[in-house]
Amino acid sequence: MDLRDQLKNLFPDHEEQDFKMPEEQFRQKEPLVCKFEKKGRNGKPVTIVEGWEGTEEELKKISKKIKTTLGIGGSEKDGTIIIQGDNRDKIMDILKEMGYKTKRVGG
């Protein structure tokens, strides 16, 4: 006699129900750092968003949202998003709308 049968004997009126674990939503602990950089890129300005703590899949979704909203190019890898041009303010606004904390670094 297993545990389930023993419980049925103790509580004959009880009906078993399926239980689903609630999905835990991802929360970014540290703010995303949004900075401007020109070094090592032949003088081309780029905006870099660093500090991502989630999955690469989510990072790609965020990057795509930023790129399509602003209509500019960029890439994502190793927890960073690289967007062409100096668009720190616009990117920070988009990230805040998505519910992420951001921090501006540099002038």
Side-chain angles (χ1 to χ4, degrees):
M1 184 179 267
D2 67 345
L3 182 62
R4 183 169 277 161
D5 291 333
Q6 291 175 9
L7 288 172
K8 282 182 184 178
N9 289 337
L10 287 172
F11 305 102
D13 297 335
H14 177 73
E15 293 180 20
E16 261 188 70
Q17 298 175 353
D18 287 334
F19 178 75
K20 292 184 181 177
M21 287 292 288
E23 290 186 27
E24 187 175 316
Q25 294 219 343
F26 170 73
R27 282 274 173 218
Q28 184 81 14
K29 292 177 182 124
E30 296 292 321
L32 296 171
V33 176
C34 193
K35 65 182 182 179
F36 174 72
E37 193 175 279
K38 281 206 282 192
K39 286 184 181 176
R41 301 178 194 281
N42 295 328
K44 304 249 166 100
V46 294
T47 302
I48 299 176
V49 179
E50 295 178 328
W52 178 250
E53 299 168 356
T55 63
E56 286 288 323
E57 191 176 292
E58 288 292 319
L59 182 71
K60 287 182 180 183
K61 285 181 185 176
I62 292 170
S63 176
K64 183 166 178 92
K65 167 91 171 156
I66 292 170
K67 291 186 290 188
T68 54
T69 303
L70 299 177
I72 52 180
S75 64
E76 65 282 325
K77 62 180 176 183
D78 300 330
T80 62
I81 300 173
I82 302 170
I83 303 292
Q84 295 173 351
D86 184 8
N87 297 296
R88 285 178 286 184
D89 296 328
K90 295 174 187 174
I91 291 171
M92 287 174 67
D93 289 340
I94 293 169
L95 290 171
K96 282 180 186 174
E97 285 176 15
M98 294 175 76
Y100 294 102
K101 294 178 187 173
T102 57
K103 182 177 178 182
R104 183 182 171 123
V105 175

